Amino acid sequence: SFISFFFFWGYLLQEVDLAQKYMQTPGISLDMVATKLRALKVFLEEQRTKVVDNAVQQALAKCEELDIPTEKRIIRKRRLQGEEARDAGLPLWQETKRAMFECLGRFHVELNTRGKAVNDISLTFSAVQPDQISCAKDEEIQLPVTKLTAVYDELSEDLCLEIPRLLRHLQGAEINLEETKHLTVLQF
């Protein structure tokens, strides 16, 4: 099972590493981070069986190549009075698969937790994100501004008035609003 987990984590951490490197890209927006986390979650959901099966098959092939026995050791337990002896164990490869699926389940829960936190932060700051501002209507601006001002007392509800003013200014300067969607907050 030790060798199986080498293959398992090798394949899984390759995807996690790519996502982590992407999320550390300078200038990346919070929405893009949330999207990458969702993509990693989709990968885990769609590829979970394939990842586990490949890891077990590769480990079995490597053990066969190196003449490593793959039988499970039987550990004898003491029985208490009235208990019956029974074979409760799964074959080693099935136990390993069960453990891998359990690891994937825990990893999925952690990704959900982190993803929810990133989405909450993204929703809080959506009032100042260029891609949200440039296409938002007056009534769509109110909720994000309320969330942002609830967190930051320094900001006021006047932000709801400033956003349409900014949009009018951009139109007056003949700046295409579609072009502003790709800017970061500091470039905007």
Side-chain angles (χ1 to χ4, degrees):
S1 72
F2 183 73
I3 295 172
S4 298
F5 276 97
F6 270 129
F7 290 111
F8 172 75
W9 286 114
Y11 187 65
L12 191 63
L13 291 179
Q14 192 174 30
E15 288 294 321
V16 173
D17 188 46
L18 289 172
Q20 183 180 6
K21 285 179 182 177
Y22 176 80
M23 290 187 278
Q24 292 176 358
T25 305
I28 193 171
S29 72
L30 200 54
D31 290 334
M32 294 168 83
V33 169
T35 301
K36 193 61 171 179
L37 280 175
R38 284 192 300 271
L40 185 59
K41 196 168 102 174
V42 167
F43 166 77
L44 285 177
E45 290 168 355
E46 291 179 352
Q47 300 293 320
R48 84 181 247 147
T49 304
K50 182 180 175 184
V51 168
V52 170
D53 288 342
N54 284 346
V56 170
Q57 291 304 320
Q58 287 176 328
L60 287 173
K62 184 58 87 175
C63 287
E64 188 176 309
E65 177 185 322
L66 299 173
D67 289 331
I68 298 173
T70 57
E71 293 94 30
K72 181 178 167 185
R73 292 185 200 165
I74 298 174
I75 300 173
R76 300 200 183 254
K77 293 183 181 180
R78 284 188 187 169
R79 289 184 302 163
L80 297 175
Q81 187 175 2
E83 288 184 341
E84 295 180 19
R86 60 181 173 195
D87 182 19
L90 296 170
L92 182 60
W93 64 273
Q94 283 182 336
E95 244 181 65
T96 303
K97 284 175 93 169
R98 183 198 51 76
M100 287 179 183
F101 282 127
E102 186 177 324
C103 287
L104 282 174
R106 289 180 182 172
F107 191 66
H108 195 269
V109 167
E110 185 66 25
L111 264 180
N112 281 339
T113 304
R114 306 271 172 142
K116 184 180 181 317
V118 168
N119 284 334
D120 290 346
I121 292 169
S122 180
L123 287 173
T124 300
F125 288 98
S126 67
V128 293
Q129 293 295 325
D131 59 337
Q132 297 292 326
I133 292 173
S134 62
C135 63
K137 308 271 187 284
D138 290 340
E139 58 274 357
E140 294 172 349
I141 295 172
Q142 185 62 42
L143 181 62
V145 168
T146 303
K147 285 184 177 184
L148 187 62
T149 55
V151 175
Y152 293 98
D153 295 336
E154 308 88 42
L155 299 174
S156 69
E157 295 287 330
D158 291 342
L159 192 56
C160 286
L161 301 173
E162 291 300 322
I163 292 172
R165 286 180 188 145
L166 174 65
L167 293 175
R168 286 191 300 272
H169 175 75
L170 291 172
Q171 286 174 342
E174 296 179 358
I175 297 173
N176 187 354
L177 293 179
E178 289 297 318
E179 293 174 9
T180 63
K181 288 182 179 182
H182 305 293
L183 300 175
T184 64
V185 174
L186 297 178
Q187 293 170 326
F188 193 62

